[in-house]
Amino acid sequence: MEKGGKMISKKVNSVQEWLPVDEILENGIIKVKNKNYIKILKIIPINFELKSNLEKEAILNSYKIFLKTCNFDIQILIQSNKKDLSNHISKIKEKNKEEKENIKILSEKYTNYIKKINIEKKSSSKNFYILIKEIPEIKKINTNINEKIIFDKLNDKYFCIKECLSRCGNVVIDISDQKNAEKILYSFFNSRKDLLEI
């Protein structure tokens, strides 16, 4: 770049420099650049609409307890992934070759309906995550961070969330390994790729 007759070099940051992730530890805990630690929990929710009024009331009361009990910062993330239905459609077309004419017509209408849903992005699945954070206490005398204490605090928060959300009927999965934590982060930074099942 040239400015006033002088060449000015523009610094180009690498991906590692602008991503907030410093390191993903073997236990799946993420160390971010501001020295905080993050734990990822995957939530498999219940279908609230299928519950009776009495069950809905019990679930909402359990959720209130969750909000009161978990008196620490959490972040809830919802990720939508468009489903690839091309294999499903090709299997229907393959089976359709051997069917009678009226079944072929129905199958064709069905595949057109699936294609329409896919184009309108209504055929997406959702993944739900809770991120919990622990900020290390660094004493002036000793600047070393005791990671074991941090991991124990994150695990305490995880068990608190798991206990409360289990009462609501949800399943809480601890992302406790490096590989799955990497997959989840990759899926958020590269939203065009489907999140691999965990």
Side-chain angles (χ1 to χ4, degrees), residues 1 12 35 41 46 52 61 75-76 133 135 149 192:
M1 190 181 214
V12 178
K35 304 303 179 205
L41 308 176
I46 55 164
S52 68
N61 286 331
Q75 185 173 6
I76 299 172
K133 175 173 69 173
I135 302 168
I149 293 170
R192 290 169 293 171

Side-chain angles (χ1 to χ4, degrees), residues 105-119:
I105 293 167
L106 283 173
S107 293
E108 192 173 326
K109 285 182 180 180
Y110 176 65
T111 53
N112 289 336
Y113 173 72
I114 291 173
K115 286 176 187 176
K116 182 183 173 191
I117 286 174
N118 208 26
I119 290 166

Side-chain angles (χ1 to χ4, degrees), residues 62-109:
S62 296
Y63 191 70
K64 286 176 193 173
I65 293 167
F66 161 67
L67 293 175
K68 287 178 184 176
T69 307
C70 299
N71 58 350
F72 46 83
D73 291 341
I74 62 170
Q75 185 173 6
I76 299 172
L77 298 174
I78 302 170
Q79 181 186 50
S80 293
N81 296 308
K82 188 178 175 186
K83 287 284 186 188
D84 181 12
L85 299 175
S86 56
N87 286 340
H88 183 60
I89 291 168
S90 62
K91 283 178 185 176
I92 292 169
K93 286 182 178 178
E94 190 64 36
K95 286 183 179 180
N96 203 17
K97 291 176 183 176
E98 303 158 13
E99 297 292 346
K100 295 178 183 173
E101 193 59 38
N102 58 344
I103 302 293
K104 284 183 181 181
I105 293 167
L106 283 173
S107 293
E108 192 173 326
K109 285 182 180 180

Side-chain angles (χ1 to χ4, degrees), residues 9-190:
S9 62
K10 185 180 177 184
K11 187 185 176 197
V12 178
N13 292 334
S14 67
V15 172
Q16 288 80 3
E17 287 180 65
W18 63 262
L19 278 180
V21 176
D22 189 27
E23 182 182 5
I24 301 172
L25 306 174
E26 283 184 26
N27 56 6
I29 291 173
I30 300 159
K31 188 177 177 182
V32 291
K33 289 188 176 174
N34 62 6
K35 304 303 179 205
N36 294 337
Y37 290 78
I38 307 288
K39 187 174 188 67
I40 303 172
L41 308 176
K42 183 174 181 177
I43 312 300
I44 300 172
I46 55 164
N47 192 332
F48 187 73
E49 293 302 316
L50 295 179
K51 302 296 178 185
S52 68
N53 287 337
L54 192 63
E55 287 173 316
K56 285 180 181 179
E57 191 177 330
I59 291 164
L60 289 173
N61 286 331
S62 296
Y63 191 70
K64 286 176 193 173
I65 293 167
F66 161 67
L67 293 175
K68 287 178 184 176
T69 307
C70 299
N71 58 350
F72 46 83
D73 291 341
I74 62 170
Q75 185 173 6
I76 299 172
L77 298 174
I78 302 170
Q79 181 186 50
S80 293
N81 296 308
K82 188 178 175 186
K83 287 284 186 188
D84 181 12
L85 299 175
S86 56
N87 286 340
H88 183 60
I89 291 168
S90 62
K91 283 178 185 176
I92 292 169
K93 286 182 178 178
E94 190 64 36
K95 286 183 179 180
N96 203 17
K97 291 176 183 176
E98 303 158 13
E99 297 292 346
K100 295 178 183 173
E101 193 59 38
N102 58 344
I103 302 293
K104 284 183 181 181
I105 293 167
L106 283 173
S107 293
E108 192 173 326
K109 285 182 180 180
Y110 176 65
T111 53
N112 289 336
Y113 173 72
I114 291 173
K115 286 176 187 176
K116 182 183 173 191
I117 286 174
N118 208 26
I119 290 166
E120 293 172 357
K121 297 182 180 178
K122 290 181 182 174
S123 62
S124 65
S125 64
K126 289 191 179 353
N127 292 305
F128 300 86
Y129 300 96
I130 291 180
L131 303 184
I132 49 178
K133 175 173 69 173
E134 186 58 41
I135 302 168
E137 294 177 20
I138 302 171
K139 295 177 180 173
K140 289 178 183 177
I141 303 165
N142 184 6
T143 55
N144 291 335
I145 297 168
N146 189 339
E147 286 189 338
K148 188 187 181 316
I149 293 170
I150 291 165
F151 299 160
D152 288 345
K153 286 181 178 179
L154 283 170
N155 278 327
D156 288 345
K157 291 177 181 179
Y158 156 64
F159 287 118
C160 182
I161 290 170
K162 183 176 183 175
E163 185 182 339
C164 292
L165 288 183
S166 295
R167 286 186 199 143
C168 300
N170 301 297
V171 176
V172 181
I173 300 169
D174 178 13
I175 306 302
S176 58
D177 63 285
Q178 189 178 29
K179 186 180 175 186
N180 282 327
E182 285 173 356
K183 284 181 188 177
I184 290 167
L185 285 178
Y186 177 78
S187 72
F188 276 105
F189 289 121
N190 188 359

